[in-house]
Amino acid sequence: MPDLILIGPQGAGKGTQAELIAGRYGLGRFAPGAYYRAQVEAGTDLGLQVAGYLSKGEIVPTELAAQVLKARLGEPDAAGGLVYDGYPRVRDQAELLDRLLTDAGRGVTLALHLDISEETALVRLAGRLTCANLACGANFHLTFLPPLVAGRCDRCGSAVEKRADDEPDVIRRRLEIFRQETEPLLETYRTRGVLRVIDGEPPVQQVFLAIRNVVESATLGAGAREPRKRSVVPIDFPPSAA
Ligand code: ZN
């Protein structure tokens, strides 16, 4: 039962890779924002509680977030493992995830660090397009992954739009928050022997291939063995001229 975390700044390709991984290995996905929205739209009890905070622009409290994650872990497609996309971001969330997984007789099998330079993050995010249909939420990119029909979502046909918060200053601030709050988690997972660094700079399929190599060699040991002292790609990879 692999529970696989993707860690990386926005623009690292977590959403895209999470989808590929989930598809290939038959895993469920957990991306908090998307899951919150789905619960709100489905009108579940949790969704109603979450909506109360989101509509006021407030952070969902830890206890409620715990209930949401617990609910997700109890869904049928989570039984075989989940890919966590954009979660955990901070230490509290990492501890919560550990606690809930331990209760379920599971644990974080792999933490994949999708490593990209700040320059790459800026270039990628500046061209990012998102499906306006919240239930779909498909991502596209003006340069790297344009929709088949300009301005239209490939999946559901809704309009695609640039996110208002994908402006350079906002992006830089988010990258800084990532460095301060999320990067420290890398050390936690490294110490545990479940961290693998993946170079997130190459094209999507190449990154996915590197992930597959890691996943398929790690699954044999099911996370129980000592880590192998090798990374699949060099950590200090020069940024490609994107
Ligand atoms: Zn769509």
Side-chain angles (χ1 to χ4, degrees):
M1 277 189 296
D3 281 286
L4 206 153
I5 294 171
L6 292 174
I7 301 175
Q10 279 173 312
K14 295 190 301 294
T16 305
Q17 295 298 335
E19 193 170 345
L20 291 171
I21 295 166
R24 171 130 194 132
Y25 299 106
L27 304 175
R29 282 178 67 180
F30 179 65
Y35 191 68
Y36 286 158
R37 287 195 298 270
Q39 295 295 305
V40 170
E41 284 185 7
T44 63
D45 280 352
L46 282 176
L48 290 173
Q49 292 180 58
V50 166
Y53 293 94
L54 296 187
S55 64
K56 285 181 277 183
E58 290 173 10
I59 290 168
V60 176
T62 308
E63 190 45 48
L64 181 53
Q67 289 181 47
V68 170
L69 179 53
K70 198 168 176 182
R72 180 68 187 94
L73 283 167
E75 291 179 355
D77 72 331
L82 286 178
V83 184
Y84 303 81
D85 160 13
Y87 191 95
R89 283 184 203 276
V90 295
R91 188 160 301 281
D92 278 1
Q93 293 174 346
E95 287 169 2
L96 171 66
L97 178 62
D98 280 340
R99 182 153 52 84
L100 292 177
L101 286 178
T102 303
D103 288 350
R106 300 154 61 159
V108 173
T109 319
L110 267 181
L112 299 176
H113 176 200
L114 288 181
D115 194 19
I116 58 167
S117 69
E118 178 162 331
E119 190 189 0
T120 299
L122 285 166
V123 169
R124 288 182 180 176
L125 292 176
R128 196 157 73 155
L129 298 168
T130 304
C131 178
N133 170 9
L134 293 181
C136 171
N139 293 305
F140 302 92
H141 194 281
L142 276 175
T143 311
F144 305 119
L145 189 67
L148 294 173
V149 177
R152 289 283 146 200
C153 175
D154 292 358
R155 199 181 296 166
C156 74
S158 301
V160 294
E161 53 194 27
K162 195 164 153 31
R163 286 173 40 156
D165 57 349
D166 278 347
E167 297 301 330
D169 281 354
V170 183
I171 295 168
R172 279 202 190 85
R173 206 177 320 134
R174 288 205 305 256
L175 291 174
E176 183 56 31
I177 292 172
F178 174 79
R179 271 194 296 273
Q180 287 175 7
E181 297 190 338
T182 309
E183 269 190 2
L185 298 182
L186 298 176
E187 196 48 42
T188 305
Y189 294 116
R190 183 178 289 121
T191 306
R192 241 186 259 178
V194 294
L195 182 77
R196 301 292 185 276
V197 180
I198 304 286
D199 179 7
E201 300 272 349
V204 168
Q205 288 302 333
Q206 202 176 320
V207 173
F208 183 49
L209 193 61
I211 290 177
R212 280 176 52 192
N213 286 336
V214 165
V215 169
E216 284 163 25
S217 60
T219 308
L220 300 172
R225 280 186 212 155
E226 280 298 298
R228 295 184 182 92
K229 297 281 188 217
R230 73 182 168 86
S231 59
V232 168
V233 289
I235 295 170
D236 297 314
F237 195 82
S240 61

